[in-house]
Amino acid sequence: MDKKLQIDLQKVPQHVAVIMDGNGRWAKGKGMGRIFGHKNALTAVRETIQSANEIGVKAITLYAFSTENWNRPKLEVNALINLLLTSLKKELPNFQENGVQVKAIGNTNSFPKKFQKVLSEVINATQNNSKITLTFALSYGSREEIVNTIKNISKKVVNNELKIEEIDEKVINNHLYTFNLPEVDLMIRTSGERRVSNFLLWQMAYAELYFTNVLWPDFRKSDFFDAIIEYQNRERRFGKTSEQIETSNE
Ligand code: IPE
Ligand code: IPE
Ligand code: MG
């Protein structure tokens, strides 16, 4: 049976976050170098965006480059940045055609100017698209984001724009890079690793976590739909009892 038909379109997660992992191992398995794996990741990215869009997911966030990834060999870092740059350019018509609004989170200032330029061009060109928000996490680390958030809130306190008593979860949310995104409902990580690697720690507080052994370059629509089906079979209790959830569903 078509997997898509098993999905309840009334219960689709609003925001899906993906840790795209396993490119290096995929390439190694083929007797190739790590960069070959990164080069073969674009189909997976495309299919993920398409399948999310098809079922009405409103926001998808892809972990493309972490603050820790700067510690990889320079050759790999440069190759990753170049691949991201060419893929962004290449995919722009696709984004326009499918109503994809592109955003970025992270310390994007640390990328070369050339990359920053292309990124802001794609962001500007797609800003009026409204079917789905696609956020790339680029030089992103949750701890860096939290440090940045605390600094910005502190500045407001010092400048008397905000009182300490006024700081609450909402204020913090509004100062994170993700301020205009809904909470993460589902986090998918490929390649069998079961950790969150400094990704959206605050935003994932109540997300359902889904891990698959599929390596990122092999990830396809049917794998994305598997994750959605599993998500829909889970009971999200948010601290309540199962009985309370059942009565509120009636
Ligand atoms: C994910 O694949 C891509 C990035 C982290 C940029 P990896 O490059 O981490 O691949 P593995 O985990 O070494 O197989
Ligand atoms: C997480 O993958 C970062 C991205 C997918 C961009 P890593 O492969 O860098 O994570 P660790 O180091 O295995 O935790
Ligand atoms: Mg990895």
Side-chain angles (χ1 to χ4, degrees):
M1 187 174 140
D2 186 354
K3 267 181 198 156
K4 212 169 116 183
L5 297 174
Q6 293 176 48
I7 294 170
D8 177 351
L9 295 176
Q10 307 303 316
K11 274 176 57 185
V12 168
Q14 273 207 77
H15 185 181
V16 179
V18 186
I19 302 181
M20 313 185 285
D21 198 13
N23 297 354
R25 278 162 284 165
W26 184 88
K28 201 173 171 203
K30 296 193 153 31
M32 304 294 281
R34 301 180 50 82
I35 293 167
F36 182 72
H38 302 314
K39 283 189 180 154
N40 280 277
L42 190 58
T43 309
V45 175
R46 218 178 260 152
E47 292 219 2
T48 301
I49 301 163
Q50 271 173 12
S51 41
N53 215 352
E54 272 175 32
I55 60 167
V57 170
K58 293 311 292 177
I60 182 140
T61 300
L62 304 178
Y63 206 3
F65 195 93
S66 73
T67 45
E68 289 73 24
N69 288 149
W70 289 110
N71 299 321
R72 291 191 179 192
K74 206 164 169 17
L75 207 70
E76 183 172 345
V77 169
N78 289 340
L80 271 168
I81 296 172
N82 283 327
L83 276 168
L84 283 164
L85 188 149
T86 43
S87 311
L88 275 171
K89 274 193 189 165
K90 194 168 158 192
E91 292 306 298
L92 181 59
N94 229 335
F95 296 149
Q96 301 296 40
E97 203 173 306
N98 295 296
V100 180
Q101 184 183 59
V102 176
K103 289 188 175 174
I105 54 170
N107 190 9
T108 49
N109 289 337
S110 36
F111 286 104
K113 286 277 172 294
K114 193 171 74 173
F115 178 82
Q116 291 184 44
K117 188 166 172 274
V118 171
L119 181 64
S120 46
E121 278 166 10
V122 173
I123 291 173
N124 290 335
T126 60
Q127 64 181 344
N128 294 323
N129 294 345
S130 58
K131 241 194 123 208
I132 189 167
T133 302
L134 164 65
T135 305
F136 288 102
L138 292 164
S139 189
Y140 175 87
S142 208
R143 288 180 173 175
E144 192 277 333
E145 178 184 38
I146 290 168
V147 169
N148 180 67
T149 299
I150 292 174
K151 282 185 185 162
N152 287 334
I153 292 176
S154 306
K155 275 184 210 152
K156 289 193 179 168
V157 171
V158 170
N159 294 336
N160 292 320
E161 288 167 43
L162 190 72
K163 294 193 185 80
I164 287 186
E165 302 71 45
E166 285 168 347
I167 301 174
D168 58 10
E169 291 186 12
K170 212 167 159 193
V171 168
I172 293 177
N173 249 321
N174 290 340
H175 287 79
L176 292 168
Y177 295 137
T178 52
F179 66 96
N180 45 15
L181 290 173
E183 269 204 46
V184 177
D185 296 308
L186 169 66
M187 191 283 283
I188 300 172
R189 183 170 191 153
T190 58
S191 86
E193 305 299 350
R194 290 164 182 257
R195 54 177 171 267
V196 291
S197 302
N198 203 11
F199 191 37
L200 302 171
L201 301 180
W202 169 281
Q203 298 85 339
M204 272 203 252
Y206 251 110
E208 293 298 326
L209 308 181
Y210 179 86
F211 300 99
T212 169
N213 290 333
V214 175
L215 300 172
W216 181 250
D218 289 329
F219 195 80
R220 292 293 175 271
K221 278 189 182 184
S222 80
D223 300 301
F224 184 82
F225 293 146
D226 278 340
I228 301 293
I229 292 163
E230 157 95 25
Y231 166 87
Q232 296 193 330
N233 286 327
R234 298 210 188 152
E235 183 177 61
R236 302 187 77 191
R237 290 193 284 276
F238 298 99
K240 293 184 179 172
T241 67
S242 199
E243 290 73 18
Q244 284 176 297
I245 303 297
E246 277 158 23
T247 20
S248 72
N249 284 342
E250 275 163 15

